[in-house]
Amino acid sequence: MRNVLIDYAKKAKAAKRGRDFERVSIESKPVADTTALDLDELIAVANAMDKLQDVDDVAHRVAMLRHYLGMSEKEVAQELELGERTVRRRWQYGRAFLHRELRQGGGSQAAAPG
């Protein structure tokens, strides 16, 4: 789902720069209401997630499951075969890292996951 949203945001931003519009069948139905998405925020969060992966892969996996899938700490712990306390610490670290990255990002006032 993350990749679908990122690809959508990039295409939409490219369309704003004058690229041709993509033809879509009338029968196709969007998976989500994309009119409410802040494309700059979506891209900023994706970039911050990529940086988190470079720094701490476990925190990145925890953040992906918590932020994009909305899993609880207990569910993440079961999925990654980690202790709940470890998941809680990695989530706290990941949120702080992402918050810092998004604030340093400048122009976009993207909200940190969480």
Side-chain angles (χ1 to χ4, degrees):
M1 186 61 166
R2 173 183 181 250
N3 290 338
V4 171
L5 291 172
I6 300 304
D7 289 344
Y8 171 80
K10 287 179 180 178
K11 283 182 182 180
K13 287 190 67 74
K16 287 182 182 179
R17 292 190 299 266
R19 287 188 68 190
D20 293 332
F21 291 101
E22 179 181 344
R23 293 190 183 265
V24 179
S25 167
I26 265 185
E27 280 80 43
S28 69
K29 297 177 184 170
V31 175
D33 178 17
T34 55
T35 59
L37 292 176
D38 179 346
L39 303 180
D40 291 329
E41 181 177 320
L42 189 63
I43 292 171
V45 170
N47 290 337
M49 284 284 199
D50 291 342
K51 288 180 183 179
L52 177 59
Q53 184 176 23
D54 292 340
V55 173
D56 188 332
D57 188 54
V58 174
H60 172 259
R61 287 185 286 156
V62 169
M64 292 290 286
L65 295 174
R66 294 278 291 156
H67 179 65
Y68 289 109
L69 298 180
M71 295 175 93
S72 69
E73 289 177 357
K74 185 176 183 175
E75 292 169 328
V76 172
Q78 291 172 348
E79 179 68 27
L80 299 179
E81 298 180 356
L82 298 170
E84 285 183 55
R85 186 173 163 100
T86 300
V87 168
R88 187 175 303 114
R89 284 193 314 263
R90 295 294 79 208
W91 176 231
Q92 287 173 341
Y93 172 77
R95 275 193 336 217
F97 181 92
L98 294 169
H99 182 71
R100 186 180 70 244
E101 286 296 318
L102 293 171
R103 292 202 60 178
Q104 289 175 354
S108 176
Q109 293 294 327

